[in-house]
Amino acid sequence: MKINGAQAMLESLLAENVDVVFGYPGGAILPVYDALYGYRDKIHHVLVRHEQGAVIAAEGYAKSSGKVGVCFATSGPGATNLVTGIADAMLDSVPLVCVTGQVYSTLIGTDAFQEADIIGITLPITKWNVQVTRAEDIPAAMAKAFYYAREGRPGPVVVDITKDAQLGLLEEDFAYQLHQPRKEKVLKCSDMKFIEIADILNNAERPLILAGNGVGIAGAEDELLKLVDKATIPVACTLHGLHNFPSNHELFVGLLGMHGNYAPNIMTNRADVILAVGMRFDDRVTGNLTKYAKQAKIIHIDIDHAEINKNVKSYMHVHADAKYALTNLLRYVQPNKHQAWRELFLKLHQEEHEQVIVPELTMQKDTIRMSQAVNMVSEKTDGKAIVVSDVGQNQMVAMRYYKFKQSKSHISSGGLGTMGFALPAAIGAKMANPDREVICVSGDGGIQMNIQELAVISQEKLPVKILLLNNNYLGMVRQWQEMFHEERYSFVDLHNPDFIGIAKAYGIKGSTVSDPAQLEAAVDEMLNSKEAYFLEVIVEKREKVFPMMPQGSAVDEIRLS
């Protein structure tokens, strides 16, 4: 019995246990959509309203579930509309398989209608990409795509399939035989190396652990917790690592980075040993590299060899999976106290608490702060919701004031900083986690970049909660213009639409709150809704986010005001 290439591609998805895809049909991928008609009971296709929505929704699905996200797009503009999301996934280590249609193989290179060289375009922003021009090559290409998306440091893969390959026939048995389980490479180190690292940690007076995205990708949250508890070492987290360690743990000292907490940034430049796990020393974490942790012995654990010694030179490194490395290190670290070192963190935290946190959480008579809205949502959900933040001030406030107590709970665009990320990513997160509360936190600038995806929430009947923090500004850009460009506010003032009217036009309930006295009731109404809900919170127009490490500064030059 023979099947066509489009059916073979869908059978490949089933062989990889894929049951949800996000996409948008078009001419060059029409054979796939025709075949998909017969797979409706096996594969749930989510029809987005823009291809960027498809790839970002696939990111949200993957980040919140640990599975590979899958999206479809047609050739030309359909494929190029995926590019931002693919680049985003590459920087944030998100496993994606993006399937694009392509013109007939005989037309490639002729500037045919809706032809674009998506392989050339995505070469720098994918782990692997391939163009398939024969039906019989589709199963092998798909098997490799899923392997490369998952293997080692995860990332995005593009499979571009010409229309004649989708229509061509192949033996049905052949479609399955290449889907053999692949054994991933296990990177190992000698016991002696772990003994040496443990010895350094055991003798440290001022140790600090920096936990990144790789901890969660490796499923090493428990191993990290056990190591921290056994050795009594303070732990700070990156933006993507924030949900990998419980915020209410006594050894959690906060968020690293430009708008992170005061204590961990200051103490990075006072630690004598730094254990960095699954993080890439991004510039927003390190600040000025010439002044970064010069006094510390840095031990770097990362599965991607390219990240080791790329930005920060390590004293020792472990090129391995975080779970494997922490499991082995745990065998040799010894119990310790580090009481005096820990008290220094508490002193600095108290400074931030008094100068920043208390003023930001103190209710005023006539103005709501972003921090107050997010903090209230955090308390009412007990830190157990999936929070999908956009980019800008809303993102920084969500990181600082939502107290995460569960892994795979903070979904955001880190490396690329993609505005418009939150709404489609929240759709993907809700598709992957129907039983968890999913809250989209966005600003009035970011929400409008993919606001059309409200239609998907309505059509799929997804009870996503949308918390819009509206200051009628591009808030983060305005903050920089105020602080560093002598208050020359150049094109940051937004003339916004009736957001609640737009939500209602899509069949989504919503309300606006501007009175601090009514904030709690409004948040309760949003959280208690069994359906999707759009809550617009009118916040202080000229609010700034602190602490802040000015660009080019050292981590210990972070400012509280």
Side-chain angles (χ1 to χ4, degrees):
M1 182 177 175
K2 291 191 175 184
I3 58 175
N4 67 22
Q7 291 171 302
M9 192 274 289
L10 296 176
E11 290 290 343
S12 297
L13 297 185
L14 293 179
E16 300 289 350
N17 298 314
V18 173
D19 54 7
V20 176
V21 299
F22 305 88
Y24 201 93
I29 201 169
L30 206 54
V32 166
Y33 275 84
D34 182 62
L36 192 58
Y37 188 84
Y39 287 77
R40 287 172 297 169
D41 59 336
K42 298 176 182 177
I43 297 174
H44 186 137
H45 179 274
V46 178
L47 177 63
V48 297
R49 298 308 190 264
H50 190 286
E51 290 88 356
Q52 187 180 102
V55 65
I56 294 177
E59 282 191 90
Y61 182 92
K63 285 188 175 190
S64 64
S65 67
K67 300 177 182 178
V68 177
V70 180
C71 62
F72 294 165
T74 194
S75 64
T80 58
N81 280 343
L82 299 179
V83 168
T84 296
I86 293 170
D88 191 278
M90 187 67 174
L91 278 171
D92 287 353
S93 307
V94 185
L96 296 183
V97 171
C98 306
V99 178
T100 56
Q102 185 54 275
V103 300
Y104 284 90
S105 60
T106 54
L107 294 176
I108 291 174
T110 68
D111 293 331
F113 176 67
Q114 290 193 333
E115 181 192 359
D117 179 12
I118 197 62
I119 296 300
I121 290 168
T122 61
L123 189 62
I125 55 170
T126 51
K127 281 188 71 179
W128 183 73
N129 65 15
V130 65
Q131 186 173 80
V132 184
T133 59
R134 302 190 314 159
E136 56 265 36
D137 295 333
I138 289 175
M142 293 300 294
K144 288 180 182 178
F146 278 87
Y147 173 71
Y148 288 130
R150 294 189 192 103
E151 182 266 336
R153 179 179 177 177
V157 169
V158 168
V159 181
D160 190 47
I161 309 177
T162 62
K163 194 166 185 178
D164 47 327
Q166 296 171 51
L167 293 168
L169 299 178
L170 69 160
E171 295 292 338
E172 186 176 15
D173 289 344
F174 184 65
Y176 311 119
Q177 66 185 21
L178 292 172
H179 288 286
Q180 301 299 321
R182 291 170 178 263
K183 290 185 179 180
E184 295 186 8
K185 295 178 290 185
V186 178
L187 300 167
K188 293 187 176 182
C189 296
S190 67
D191 282 358
M192 185 55 65
K193 190 163 197 175
F194 290 113
I195 291 170
E196 289 178 29
I197 292 172
D199 188 56
I200 293 170
L201 288 171
N202 294 336
N203 288 291
E205 294 181 2
R206 302 182 306 280
L208 178 60
I209 293 176
L210 310 182
N213 193 26
V215 172
I217 291 173
E221 297 94 336
D222 287 346
E223 288 74 17
L224 175 63
L225 185 60
K226 290 174 183 176
L227 180 70
V228 169
D229 282 339
K230 184 177 180 180
T232 319
I233 300 176
V235 58
C237 295
T238 66
L239 180 152
H240 283 313
L242 196 56
H243 53 177
N244 293 329
F245 196 84
S247 60
N248 56 351
H249 195 285
E250 63 176 351
L251 289 165
F252 176 68
V253 295
L255 173 69
L256 295 163
M258 181 174 280
H259 289 284
N261 293 110
Y262 193 54
N265 280 291
I266 295 285
M267 299 307 247
T268 293
N269 272 8
R270 298 183 186 174
D272 58 357
V273 176
I274 291 176
L275 176 64
V277 188
M279 53 91 73
R280 59 189 179 90
F281 291 107
D282 174 72
D283 65 291
R284 289 297 171 101
V285 165
T286 65
N288 189 330
L289 281 169
T290 64
K291 301 178 182 180
Y292 183 77
K294 295 302 180 183
Q295 78 296 335
K297 292 180 179 178
I298 295 176
I299 302 161
H300 192 184
I301 297 171
D302 206 289
I303 200 165
D304 186 354
H305 193 272
E307 294 298 341
I308 295 169
N309 294 323
K310 184 178 82 174
N311 295 327
V312 173
K313 186 170 178 57
S314 56
Y315 180 77
M316 290 187 71
H317 69 263
V318 178
H319 177 211
D321 173 84
K323 189 180 185 77
Y324 164 81
L326 293 177
T327 299
N328 282 276
L329 191 55
L330 188 59
R331 295 159 55 195
Y332 303 111
V333 294
Q334 297 299 320
N336 214 319
K337 296 289 185 184
H338 304 300
Q339 192 61 41
W341 173 235
R342 291 168 59 197
E343 286 174 1
L344 293 175
F345 281 92
L346 293 175
K347 182 181 177 183
L348 292 171
H349 177 71
Q350 189 62 31
E351 287 185 43
E352 180 183 348
H353 186 76
E354 292 172 359
Q355 295 185 46
V356 179
I357 296 173
V358 170
E360 287 193 350
L361 293 184
T362 300
M363 284 290 186
Q364 306 296 312
K365 287 184 178 181
D366 56 357
T367 305
I368 300 173
R369 286 180 173 269
M370 292 182 284
S371 48
Q372 293 161 357
V374 172
N375 184 66
M376 190 172 288
V377 170
S378 178
E379 290 180 350
K380 289 181 176 293
T381 57
D382 193 28
K384 294 179 180 177
I386 296 175
V387 173
V388 187
S389 60
D390 213 278
V391 170
Q393 288 182 324
N394 67 87
Q395 180 187 36
M396 301 299 110
V397 171
M399 287 191 304
R400 288 179 48 77
Y401 287 96
Y402 196 90
K403 304 305 180 186
F404 296 94
K405 296 180 181 178
Q406 223 172 309
S407 62
K408 292 184 172 56
S409 293
H410 181 224
I411 313 299
S412 196
S413 171
L416 200 64
T418 303
M419 287 181 69
F421 178 89
L423 190 59
I427 290 169
K430 190 63 179 179
M431 293 297 300
N433 302 271
D435 298 326
R436 290 189 67 186
E437 187 79 270
V438 174
I439 300 170
C440 166
V441 179
S442 189
D444 45 311
I447 194 77
Q448 294 184 76
M449 290 196 173
N450 272 314
I451 200 167
Q452 74 284 341
E453 302 308 326
L454 288 173
V456 179
I457 291 175
S458 180
Q459 185 169 347
E460 293 285 339
K461 296 180 172 57
L462 298 174
V464 172
K465 309 301 168 56
I466 300 154
L467 179 66
L468 175 64
L469 304 175
N470 184 1
N471 57 11
N472 290 290
Y473 262 128
L474 295 177
M476 186 59 79
V477 181
R478 185 206 56 76
Q479 178 171 336
W480 280 56
Q481 289 176 346
E482 180 174 333
M483 293 178 67
F484 309 119
H485 297 276
E486 300 176 349
E487 299 186 5
R488 291 190 293 275
Y489 300 125
S490 181
F491 301 102
V492 289
D493 199 343
L494 297 177
H495 180 71
N496 285 321
D498 176 1
F499 287 111
I500 302 306
I502 291 174
K504 288 181 178 178
Y506 282 111
I508 296 171
K509 295 179 181 179
S511 62
T512 299
V513 61
S514 57
D515 184 348
Q518 298 174 1
L519 177 62
E520 184 171 10
V523 170
D524 284 340
E525 185 175 358
M526 175 185 74
L527 294 176
N528 291 333
S529 175
K530 302 298 182 185
E531 305 170 15
Y533 196 95
F534 194 117
L535 176 60
E536 178 187 24
V537 182
I538 306 299
V539 297
E540 185 178 326
K541 192 172 177 68
R542 297 186 62 172
E543 186 175 351
K544 292 193 285 292
V545 180
F546 284 103
M548 181 179 183
M549 183 189 355
Q551 203 162 25
S553 300
V555 286
D556 56 359
E557 294 171 338
I558 190 168
R559 294 164 51 177
L560 289 174
S561 62

